[in-house]
């Protein structure tokens, strides 16, 4: 379940990235065209220079905003499976710990460490 959530989240981030990349490209293209053609609006040289500067500034701010919003939304998309994994994943982790440790019992007592029939004996690692 958790793996499926992560797969869907990464697919959503990929689709969101394609959308943001398209918006970035459109704003870059049309912002550049508007700034280069500022002389169509007015013929006064100082007004053309000011308008071109203002359009280039707006273009730069818009591109920065797109990158910021892309990063924020991507983090939010990836936060969903992370938070849901905290709720769904707790019991499963304990199950794996129990399987790794084997049956509970005192290994020093006789017969307590005998595995059920058909299973290999549990090997104990000792430090030297």
């Amino acid at each position: 379940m958790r793996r499926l959530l992560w797969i869907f989240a990464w697919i959503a981030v990929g689709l969101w990235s394609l959308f943001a990349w398209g918006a970035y490209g459109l704003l870059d293209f049309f912002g550049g065209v508007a700034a280069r053609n500022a002389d169509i609006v007015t013929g006064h040289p100082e007004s053309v220079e000011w308008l071109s500067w203002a359009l280039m500034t707006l273009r730069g701010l818009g591109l920065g905003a797109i990158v910021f919003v892309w990063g924020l939304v991507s983090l939010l998309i990836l936060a969903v499976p992370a938070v849901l994994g905290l709720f769904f994943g707790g019991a499963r982790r304990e199950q794996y710990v129990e399987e790794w440790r084997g049956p509970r019992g005192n290994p020093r007592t006789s017969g307590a460490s005998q595995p059920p029939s058909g299973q290999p004996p549990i090997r104990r690692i000792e430090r030297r």
Side-chain angles (χ1 to χ4, degrees):
M1 177 73 174
R2 289 173 54 189
R3 185 175 295 169
L4 188 64
L5 285 173
W6 280 105
I7 289 170
F8 283 142
W10 281 109
I11 289 171
V13 167
L15 292 174
W16 167 246
S17 297
L18 287 175
F19 175 76
W21 185 34
Y24 186 93
L26 287 174
L27 182 63
D28 188 34
F29 176 73
F30 287 115
V33 168
R36 283 190 302 270
N37 295 319
D39 59 342
I40 295 174
V41 176
T42 181
H44 192 260
E46 290 179 11
S47 297
V48 170
E49 184 178 343
W50 182 85
L51 184 60
S52 178
W53 174 84
L55 289 172
M56 289 299 284
T57 302
L58 287 174
R59 177 180 155 240
L61 289 174
L63 294 176
I66 288 175
V67 170
F68 178 77
V69 169
W70 169 80
L72 185 67
V73 172
S74 295
L75 286 176
L76 289 175
I77 290 171
L78 292 175
V80 169
V83 170
L84 290 177
L86 292 175
F87 293 120
F88 293 141
R92 190 170 182 184
R93 189 176 328 129
E94 293 172 5
Q95 177 186 0
Y96 288 137
V97 170
E98 289 298 321
E99 289 175 2
W100 180 76
R101 287 184 183 163
R104 292 187 182 256
N106 189 353
R108 294 171 199 230
T109 61
S110 63
S113 64
Q114 295 295 328
S117 62
Q119 292 183 353
I122 298 174
R123 294 183 182 166
R124 188 169 178 204
I125 300 173
E126 297 180 8
R127 294 184 186 174
R128 293 183 185 197

